[in-house]
Amino acid sequence: MSTAYSDLPVVQYEGPSSTNPLAYRWYDANRVVLGKTLAEHLRPAVCYWHNFCWKGEDVFGLGNTVFQRSWFNEADPVKAAYMKLDAAFDFFAKLGLPYWCFHDRDVAPEGATLAESNRILDGLLEAAAKKMQDGKVGLLWGTANLFSHGRFMSGASTNPDPEVYAYGAAQVKHALEWTNRLGGQNYVLWGGREGYETLLNTDLKRELAQYGRFLSSVVEHKHKIGFKGTILIEPKPQEPTKHQYDYDSATVYGFLKTYGLENEVKVNIEVNHATLAGHSFEHEVATACALGIFGSLDANRGDEQLGWDTDQFPNNHVQLVPAMLEMIRAGGYTTGGTNFDAKVRRQSIDPIDQLEGHIGGMDTMARAFLSAAALYESGQLEKVVADRYAGWEGDLGKKIHGGASLDDLASIVHTQGIAPQPRSGRQERLENIVNNFV
């Protein structure tokens, strides 16, 4: 069947000297680095929603379909969904990437009841399963859309109405079970409206308890059905709500510790969400790695002149090197991967623009990873860090971690005449070292 992407070529790797805009210049899937191929390190995935569901509308052009795709013009929503599915897997084949990911409502339209919605989704995901097998495409993760419909305007698990909570739980149950059936590597909970607009009508303690119970029930069901993947939370500080309970990686970790879930749930970090929280991307990755909850990455970027979530393709590998270095230090992905939660600009209306966006995004991520890997292998920064903290491997450091009291430490300082002096952190030198590898 002909789709919007049928006339596009299959993207191949041609190397850094290539001038072909429809070829990979840095993403050589089979190149071995640090003992694994780039495809195994990056585990890239194409996202369903921005690519095949977004019509190009924005807040100043609601209902205005800018992207002319055949499924947008089909009056029957179920038929349109099957047309969209055909187009999506055609697009996946052009890119040659190993994974895809979806929300339930991306794939299937909503019916009059949840039972009807589930039946429609079942048919489409059964068709998707066949296409996955034929095209050798895996599922990085699935999730349920608990934010678009008006019923979720006050949140799903944190909603003041227990019926909304129950509806969201039923929706997650079905999406999680399908993620398991499709061999999904992870299941994501994006708490798009799990937060508050005003404390004047909010019982914050109650809502956090509801959120904790909801997440615990998801983990319980994961084990009940034998899902071997990872449950992921995607931190986001704001938008659409004024304040969201999953603000950043550290906040999520505190939440997980409170409910005893820190060994069950990890984070899916989005670049643009990190910067909206006032952090650098590498800070969020390093924090998650240090706390043992690093899971997966949403590879997009924001616009430094705009204060909202713009979901643009990554195009600056230099900015990503520190985050890639943190990921390499921590051992890389386990079940996670690099999904492109990004969309073309509203003026980029042709199917080829989507292809070029992903090519550029993959090349950017690959180049950043290659630079970070070379930097890591050089050992230059690792030696600096080891030397800087070397004292903690000595007698004093061991005594401190061995339980030395304040009295003990005061005695040591006075007895040994300790009078520490400042030592340079050599930041400029280290930044120059990084620049030598990018």
Side-chain angles (χ1 to χ4, degrees):
M1 180 180 294
S2 178
T3 76
Y5 310 103
S6 296
D7 293 335
L8 299 178
V10 174
V11 182
Q12 306 287 346
Y13 170 74
E14 294 185 3
S17 63
S18 176
T19 58
N20 179 4
L22 299 181
Y24 295 122
R25 298 176 65 239
W26 295 96
Y27 177 60
D28 179 359
N30 298 314
R31 179 174 174 177
V32 177
V33 185
L34 300 177
K36 294 194 294 187
T37 65
L38 270 181
E40 291 171 325
H41 279 298
L42 295 175
R43 294 167 58 86
V46 184
C47 295
Y48 211 86
W49 49 100
H50 286 326
N51 285 295
F52 312 110
C53 302
W54 185 50
K55 300 178 181 181
E57 72 272 34
D58 62 18
V59 294
F60 299 105
L62 295 175
N64 185 358
T65 300
V66 177
F67 302 150
Q68 297 304 312
R69 313 284 190 253
S70 58
W71 56 93
F72 291 153
N73 298 321
E74 171 56 52
D76 182 341
V78 176
K79 184 177 179 180
Y82 279 96
M83 294 169 65
K84 182 169 60 176
L85 190 74
D86 288 337
F89 277 86
D90 191 8
F91 187 70
F92 301 158
K94 302 299 184 182
L95 284 167
L97 301 182
Y99 295 103
W100 70 299
C101 43
F102 70 91
H103 298 78
D104 51 0
R105 294 285 76 83
D106 302 332
V107 175
E110 187 155 1
T113 64
L114 182 58
E116 182 182 357
S117 297
N118 288 347
R119 284 194 297 271
I120 298 170
L121 181 64
D122 291 347
L124 281 149
L125 288 181
E126 285 169 2
K130 178 66 165 58
K131 291 179 181 293
M132 289 171 65
Q133 185 176 23
D134 293 345
K136 296 181 173 58
V137 180
L139 179 65
L140 185 63
W141 50 261
T143 187
N145 181 333
L146 304 184
F147 50 88
S148 292
H149 194 281
R151 69 174 67 92
F152 299 122
M153 68 178 183
S154 298
S157 66
T158 59
N159 201 286
D161 184 347
E163 290 188 354
V164 175
Y165 179 108
Y167 193 102
Q171 197 173 327
V172 167
K173 173 183 182 293
H174 199 70
L176 176 57
E177 290 171 352
W178 259 111
T179 299
N180 188 37
R181 288 177 61 182
L182 294 173
Q185 302 287 293
N186 311 271
Y187 183 84
V188 171
L189 291 158
W190 189 76
R193 298 190 189 276
E194 309 300 357
Y196 63 81
E197 293 292 344
T198 175
L199 287 172
L200 297 176
N201 63 4
T202 300
D203 185 337
L204 195 149
K205 183 177 180 180
R206 178 188 293 273
E207 292 195 357
L208 287 174
Q210 290 174 204
Y211 199 2
R213 179 61 203 133
F214 190 92
L215 186 56
S216 296
S217 67
V218 173
V219 170
E220 291 163 8
H221 197 67
K222 164 195 166 171
H223 292 301
K224 179 180 179 181
I225 65 175
F227 178 54
K228 302 302 183 184
T230 304
I231 303 297
L232 301 171
I233 286 180
E234 183 167 318
K236 189 176 185 183
Q238 56 211 13
E239 191 192 85
T241 61
K242 176 181 178 179
H243 178 87
Q244 296 193 194
Y245 298 134
D246 48 4
Y247 192 89
D248 58 10
S249 292
T251 304
V252 169
Y253 180 74
F255 174 83
L256 295 176
K257 285 286 288 185
T258 299
Y259 295 97
L261 297 168
E262 69 274 15
N263 296 320
E264 293 279 4
V265 180
K266 299 185 184 300
V267 288
N268 181 46
I269 300 170
E270 180 172 313
V271 182
N272 206 169
H273 293 177
T275 52
L276 284 173
H279 304 310
S280 65
F281 179 40
E282 59 265 30
H283 167 85
E284 280 292 89
V285 174
T287 299
C289 290
L291 296 173
I293 58 169
F294 175 74
S296 198
L297 295 180
D298 269 4
N300 62 18
R301 65 181 173 90
D303 188 311
E304 294 178 355
Q305 294 179 299
L306 299 174
W308 61 86
D309 195 359
T310 55
D311 289 326
Q312 296 176 243
F313 285 96
N315 68 352
N316 186 335
H317 76 281
V318 177
Q319 289 183 337
L320 296 172
V321 169
M324 292 294 100
L325 180 61
E326 294 295 339
M327 187 173 77
I328 290 169
R329 284 171 169 166
Y333 295 126
T334 52
T335 62
T338 309
N339 79 82
F340 287 98
D341 180 14
K343 58 178 179 281
V344 294
R345 298 303 87 192
R346 191 169 189 256
Q347 298 174 45
S348 300
I349 61 175
D350 297 331
I352 196 172
D353 297 321
Q354 293 175 290
L355 195 69
E356 292 188 7
H358 283 83
I359 292 169
M362 276 309 308
D363 274 344
T364 299
M365 297 302 294
R367 193 173 184 183
F369 186 87
L370 291 170
S371 296
L375 177 58
Y376 177 76
E377 286 185 306
S378 78
Q380 295 182 58
L381 294 185
E382 311 313 305
K383 183 179 185 306
V384 169
V385 173
D387 289 346
R388 190 172 185 223
Y389 292 91
W392 288 92
E393 303 303 320
D395 289 341
L396 181 58
K398 291 178 180 178
K399 287 178 180 177
I400 292 171
H401 283 300
S405 68
L406 294 185
D407 285 336
D408 295 332
L409 295 176
S411 177
I412 290 171
V413 169
H414 293 304
T415 302
Q416 298 182 12
I418 293 177
Q421 299 300 311
R423 292 186 296 171
S424 174
R426 305 284 187 225
Q427 180 172 335
E428 289 71 25
R429 177 185 293 179
L430 302 180
E431 290 169 345
N432 292 343
I433 289 174
V434 173
N435 281 341
N436 291 336
F437 287 86
V438 298

